[in-house]
Amino acid sequence: MHSTTLPARPRGLALAFSWPRVRFTLIVSAALGLLMSTGWTSGLPALFLRTMLIGLMALLVFGLFEQWPRRLPRWIARWVLQVVGVALVIPPFTAIIWWLATPAGAPAFYHVKERMQGYSLVTGLSVFIAPWIALGALVRQKEAIARHLAVAFDLERSQLERQALDARLRLLQAQVAPHFLFNTLANVQALVEAGSPQASEVLRNLIAYLRAAVPRLNEPATTLDHELQLVQAYLDLMHLRMPDRLQFTMHVEEGARALRCPPMTLLTLVENAVRHGIDPSEEGGRIDIHVQRRGDRCLVRVSDNGAGLGQSGPGLGTGLTTLRERLQLAFGGETRLSVSAQQPRGVSAEIEFPAREA
């Protein structure tokens, strides 16, 4: 079964300083610097550098409180811690920047009116704007998490549905196996009761056939080429059993041999033709098999001129019922199985399903 998993969410500094966050912070910081540039006299590069450093520090605090501490008391929400942390870190960090930018021997910045005004302007605007940006980021983050959870939920649900379908398909496969074995044993019984001189040869070929066929019963899918090989072996055996009453032909397009189909699909149709068409008919009959690829569709038709629907008893056995359900599980609503009477006698069974390469 194929499975798909969502990428793991980054943690630690990789989350705090992810490129989308850093890019957004630098853009907002540059815009803030541009807003304060009017009347700024001490150099615009220094102003932009300071607003960007403040923005990155706020981003670091936002990311740290997003992940640490892992558990918080019930009375405080994490988003409150993040927003308050961003607001509180700005004044002291801005003061550090102004202190580091003070030339050696010069008075402290809070003793110089112009520098103190610059500090107050940057701090005031940053404290006013940064918490709102943090709140906006939290809203977008919650929306992203909700989308992530929704995608993960849909993915998990589709995987569970697929597992349920696989389990149902395997259950049906398990039902096919005894059905198939009972049919072959019935053939052996018929040979023994008839005292056929070919019973020993048929039994030997039957054992070899079962050794090749039974392991494939549990495979989830096979190709039409494998199915045709089984059908050829099965019809060879049936021809040994009733050489004067059974003829068959196979018309197969080479391009259809590699297409996928559930195991025992074609063999089920042929078994039904033998059991319900040829066996009940005193004069026997002929089975014609056609396999064609029509664009993106595959058409399989098995027809016989045996006893016909009216002579074969009510229904055509559980084989076709199980086959119809297996086809539905394998191809959904893209498949079709139909059974119709042929004139002057006989039955035609057709299957159509998507042509998918194995």
Side-chain angles (χ1 to χ4, degrees):
M1 182 185 70
H2 296 284
S3 63
T4 305
T5 56
L6 294 174
R9 193 163 180 255
R11 303 291 300 171
L13 290 178
L15 173 62
F17 286 109
S18 63
W19 171 240
R21 290 186 178 189
V22 172
R23 181 180 57 196
F24 178 77
T25 301
L26 292 179
I27 292 174
V28 172
S29 299
L32 185 63
L34 188 63
L35 179 66
M36 292 184 289
S37 63
T38 304
W40 190 268
T41 58
S42 59
L44 293 180
L47 173 62
F48 284 106
L49 177 61
R50 293 174 187 184
T51 55
M52 289 182 180
L53 287 175
I54 293 170
L56 291 175
M57 174 54 68
L59 177 64
L60 175 62
V61 171
F62 181 87
L64 286 179
F65 285 143
E66 182 182 10
Q67 308 169 70
W68 181 88
R70 289 194 173 186
R71 294 184 180 275
L72 288 174
R74 291 185 176 181
W75 53 268
I76 183 170
R78 186 168 295 278
W79 69 270
V80 173
L81 185 64
Q82 289 178 267
V83 173
V84 172
V86 167
L88 292 180
V89 77
I90 289 176
F93 184 72
T94 307
I96 292 174
I97 292 176
W98 252 254
W99 175 70
L100 292 175
T102 302
F109 70 89
Y110 47 81
H111 290 308
V112 181
K113 182 179 179 182
E114 292 77 9
R115 301 195 68 206
M116 187 60 191
Q117 287 176 342
Y119 166 79
S120 300
L121 176 63
V122 172
T123 302
L125 281 176
S126 299
V127 169
F128 178 74
I129 293 175
W132 289 103
I133 295 176
L135 280 173
L138 286 168
V139 171
R140 292 196 59 182
Q141 187 180 45
K142 287 185 179 296
E143 292 175 350
I145 292 174
R147 287 195 298 270
H148 181 86
L149 291 176
V151 172
F153 176 76
D154 289 342
L155 181 62
E156 183 179 7
R157 184 180 61 181
S158 65
Q159 288 176 341
L160 290 174
E161 290 176 350
R162 184 61 189 170
Q163 289 174 0
L165 288 176
D166 288 344
R168 177 63 178 158
L169 187 58
R170 290 188 180 281
L171 178 62
L172 291 172
Q173 297 286 95
Q175 293 175 357
V176 169
H179 182 72
F180 169 71
L181 291 175
F182 290 151
N183 284 348
T184 54
L185 289 175
N187 289 326
V188 173
Q189 183 183 17
L191 290 170
V192 172
E193 290 177 352
S196 172
Q198 293 179 314
S200 177
E201 182 183 356
V202 172
L203 186 57
R204 185 168 55 252
N205 284 279
L206 189 58
I207 292 172
Y209 168 66
L210 289 176
R211 282 176 177 166
V214 170
R216 295 178 181 175
L217 296 177
N218 293 322
E219 294 177 354
T222 184
T223 63
L224 277 172
D225 188 45
H226 289 160
E227 283 287 291
L228 289 165
Q229 293 175 22
L230 280 178
V231 166
Q232 180 71 52
Y234 175 77
L235 287 175
D236 287 341
L237 279 170
M238 294 301 103
H239 189 258
L240 284 174
R241 177 190 148 205
M242 41 187 174
D244 300 329
R245 298 178 57 238
L246 173 64
Q247 293 81 43
F248 63 90
T249 61
M250 299 175 70
H251 308 277
V252 182
E253 287 185 357
E254 287 302 315
R257 289 184 178 274
L259 300 180
R260 297 184 60 183
C261 71
M264 316 299 286
T265 296
L266 187 53
L267 189 59
T268 300
L269 298 181
V270 175
E271 274 190 319
N272 271 276
V274 171
R275 187 177 182 186
H276 300 283
I278 307 303
D279 270 347
S281 175
E282 293 183 359
E283 62 269 32
R286 189 183 73 252
I287 296 175
D288 297 309
I289 301 169
H290 294 265
V291 179
Q292 297 175 293
R293 177 170 185 167
R294 296 178 178 175
D296 60 349
R297 306 287 292 174
C298 181
L299 177 65
V300 175
R301 183 172 68 251
V302 176
S303 57
D304 68 83
N305 58 356
L309 288 173
Q311 303 297 319
S312 57
L316 293 178
T318 58
L320 286 182
T321 303
T322 305
L323 176 59
R324 179 180 283 111
E325 193 168 353
R326 287 194 292 131
L327 288 170
Q328 287 285 337
L329 290 174
F331 300 110
E334 301 178 86
T335 184
R336 178 180 62 85
L337 168 61
S338 61
V339 179
S340 58
Q342 287 207 125
Q343 297 300 328
R345 62 195 179 98
V347 174
S348 176
E350 286 190 0
I351 294 176
E352 189 176 339
F353 54 86
R356 295 171 184 167
E357 301 282 347

